[in-house]
């Protein structure tokens, strides 16, 4: 099957409803990681462009064109945006695949439909968010309102740019805020197209601005900007810590930070279907080239089934061999860049040096060396860097454990607390172990479970604040008490 890869690409920023170049006139070239070839020229935004975008967002917020609009109307606009995303699904899926390297079979069935579903879910929620009337003494009435904070900065990563942009934008917009979206420098194209579709759906000019450019410049400017009221971020823990500093150095802006992860998957010997557990473990470790913040990159297996499980996992990993992202037969595509692949390859070299390695070959395809096969490593102590540091690639560490307490202790022995999985046929064990695991989401007899109705986020150095569900609204509103004394 031949796929038409001709797409219209406009790399200019969106500020106050207009397509504009960077104030400096500078641009950068975004690369197709699967081929190494130039894909598009994108505006290289700077601090001056952040100032322009924040000013436009503030003016739009103060005008009330969106912030004081009837909630049901705001919801209708978000649902129209969901419809437009679905109408342009083929274009968006192709852009996401070309820009990031992931398989088109995934962007067309997961990323783009998920993005539309998120906007539609919050669009339907819009007029169901209610204020509170708490108990007060006789002769008085109080109303507790959830009020929009104002200007929200949203910084989103390259691995699920469209999906995670929707996780941030939909609740921020439905609450009445204006937003400045900063997409990852390596994958800006679908964010810019999304901004166009938002205008077409009826979001007023200035309410959603999209400024591409380097994180060290745009992210820093947003973090320090005195007129940004809240900042939401998904990315590395190192950058999240910088944003904490920027907020403290500027205006103490509200932060919600979803940072790194080193998630564990616990396989107990009483699991009903060990082959299914291995199949899902491969999904949790290798899907999207392993470039997933909540990837189950550490697997702890009860000793009686350890050898059998490793054999099953090795077989299951074959489904995630790399290939042309546009080929429906490819289990995985390219990593996001050759430089990122260099870092993953270095981690695999450490695995081969210090442990027992299965797979992990680096391949050259179509002129690019950003392709790495799934890697399984055993025999590493819990103190090893590969047990502790996020690799963000198709590499999983496997370790045996002897009892439940041993498994929980190993799983929690990490700086992170984003997600965890466990497999068991015992309902009491499932409840007992999930309660003891320090993770924002614990998936029982599955991996990496999430949905629009459940919050997603972590503990410890995985950050704070939650995406998805009604709880995400809390990132973008403040509680305001109005007290009426009438007797």
């Amino acid at each position: 099957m031949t796929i038409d890869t001709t797409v219209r690409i406009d790399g200019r920023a969106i500020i106050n409803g207009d397509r504009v170049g960077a104030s400096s006139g500078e641009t950068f070239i975004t690369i197709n990681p699967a081929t190494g070839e130039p894909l598009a020229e994108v505006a290289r935004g700077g601090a001056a462009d952040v100032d322009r975008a924040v000013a436009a967002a503030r003016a739009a917020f103060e005008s009330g064109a969106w912030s004081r609009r009837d909630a049901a109307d705001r919801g209708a606009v978000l649902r129209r945006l969901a419809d437009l995303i679905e109408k342009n699904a083929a274009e968006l899926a192709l852009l996401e695949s070309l820009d990031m390297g992931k398989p088109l079979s995934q962007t067309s069935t997961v990323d783009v439909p998920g993005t539309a579903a998120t906007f539609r879910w919050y669009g339907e929620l819009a007029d169901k968010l209610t204020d509170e009337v708490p108990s007060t003494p006789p002769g008085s009435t109080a109303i507790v309102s959830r009020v929009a904070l104002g200007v929200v900065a949203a910084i989103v990563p390259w691995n699920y740019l469209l999906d995670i942009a929707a996780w941030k934008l939909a609740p921020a917009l439905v609450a009445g805020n204006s937003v400045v979206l900063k997409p990852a420098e390596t994958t800006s194209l679908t964010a810019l197209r999304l901004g166009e579709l938002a205008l077409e759906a009826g979001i007023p000019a200035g309410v959603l601005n999209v400024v591409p450019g380097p994180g060290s410049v745009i992210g820093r400017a947003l973090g320090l900007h005195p007129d940004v009221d809240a900042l939401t971020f998904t990315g590395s823990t190192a950058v999240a810590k910088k944003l904490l500093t920027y907020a403290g150095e500027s205006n103490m802006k509200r932060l919600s930070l979803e940072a790194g992860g080193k998630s564990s998957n616990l396989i107990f010997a009483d699991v009903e279907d060990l082959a299914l557990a291995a199949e899902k473990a491969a999904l949790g470790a290798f899907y999207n080239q392993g470039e997933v913040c909540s990837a189950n990159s550490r697997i702890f297996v009860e000793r009686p089934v350890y050898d059998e499980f490793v054999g099953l996992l090795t077989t299951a990993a074959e489904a995630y061999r790399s290939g042309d992202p546009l080929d429906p037969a490819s289990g995985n595509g390219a990593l996001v860049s050759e430089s990122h692949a260099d870092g993953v390859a270095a981690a695999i070299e450490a695995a081969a040096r210090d442990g027992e390695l299965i797979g992990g070959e680096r391949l050259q395809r179509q002129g690019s060396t950003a392709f790495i096969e799934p890697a399984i490593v055993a025999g590493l102590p819990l103190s090893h860097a590969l047990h502790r540091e996020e690799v963000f690639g198709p590499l999983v560490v496997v370790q045996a454990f002897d009892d439940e307490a041993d498994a929980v202790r190993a799983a929690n022995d990490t700086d992170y607390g984003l997600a965890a999985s466990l497999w068991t046929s015992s309902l009491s064990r499932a409840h007992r172990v999930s309660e003891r695991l320090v993770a924002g989401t614990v998936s029982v007899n599955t991996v990496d479970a999430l949905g629009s109705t459940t919050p997603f986020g972590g503990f410890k150095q995985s950050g704070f604040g939650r995406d998805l569900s009604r709880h995400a609204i809390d990132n973008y509103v403040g509680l305001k008490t109005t007290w009426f004394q009438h007797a």
Side-chain angles (χ1 to χ4, degrees), residues 293-334:
C293 55
S294 54
N296 290 181
S297 56
R298 299 188 300 155
I299 304 176
F300 298 99
V301 187
E302 198 163 9
R303 199 172 300 276
V305 296
Y306 175 82
D307 290 337
E308 182 183 0
F309 178 86
V310 172
L312 291 168
L313 179 65
T314 302
T315 299
E318 291 292 316
Y320 299 95
R321 297 194 60 124
S322 64
D324 180 355
L326 302 184
D327 183 349
S330 298
N332 271 337

Side-chain angles (χ1 to χ4, degrees), residues 433-487:
V433 173
S434 62
E435 182 178 325
R436 294 176 61 194
L437 290 172
V438 181
T441 299
V442 178
S443 302
V444 179
N445 293 334
T446 186
V447 295
D448 211 12
L450 61 80
S452 297
T453 59
T454 55
F456 179 79
F459 299 120
K460 300 195 282 189
Q461 293 190 47
S462 290
F464 51 84
R466 293 294 184 266
D467 291 318
L468 296 172
S469 81
R470 295 174 71 105
H471 298 282
I473 301 290
D474 295 338
N475 298 329
Y476 311 109
V477 297
L479 295 180
K480 180 178 182 178
T481 298
T482 305
W483 187 294
F484 300 89
Q485 195 69 37
H486 44 79

Side-chain angles (χ1 to χ4, degrees), residues 16 20 76 112 118 142 171 200 255 290 355 371 374 446 450 456:
N16 203 27
V20 295
V112 174
T118 298
E200 185 179 342
L255 296 176
F371 295 88
T446 186
L450 61 80
F456 179 79

